Amino acid sequence: MHRAIGSLQPNRKKYHQQTHSGVGFLARLCTAFLLMVTLCIKTYAQSAPQAASSDLPPGDGKAVVQRACTTCHTTGTISRKRATAPEWSATVDEMVNRGAELSDEEIVTVSRYLAASFPATSNPNTTTTPALP
């Protein structure tokens, strides 16, 4: 074998080992990162609805809202929305169609609770000028 070719063989093995060990390290690093992100998301998802339960005012229906609505929404999301009674009823119906687990009686209770607790507000961009006498 030619001397120059023979001297390349050990370098090839060394390069091959470095390449594969780098890939293994990168795979382990990515796995650790994904595990950490998954645990953070799971921890937040479990604690977020409970931590924000003070956003909901007391009333008939609060417990049902906490049980059925906070599986997908935070209470802050719910409490920021303002709507009329028919709008809340339509929203609750839509959520039931998307998988919220509510009985027919609970649908009425939740709709009434949300309409009473988070009523529609007047639009500040529309003003009326009082009529002059």
Side-chain angles (χ1 to χ4, degrees), residues 45-107:
Q46 290 174 345
S47 66
Q50 296 166 356
S53 65
S54 63
D55 292 343
L56 297 177
D60 185 34
K62 177 180 178 176
V64 181
V65 168
Q66 285 176 314
R67 176 187 54 81
C69 304
T70 61
T71 57
C72 297
H73 307 287
T74 64
T75 54
T77 300
I78 298 165
S79 66
R80 283 189 298 272
K81 180 176 172 72
R82 297 291 186 260
T84 64
E87 291 169 337
W88 275 118
S89 181
T91 299
V92 172
D93 288 342
E94 183 181 340
M95 294 301 111
V96 169
N97 289 335
R98 291 183 178 197
E101 296 181 17
L102 293 169
S103 68
D104 291 343
E105 183 179 305
E106 289 174 328
I107 290 171

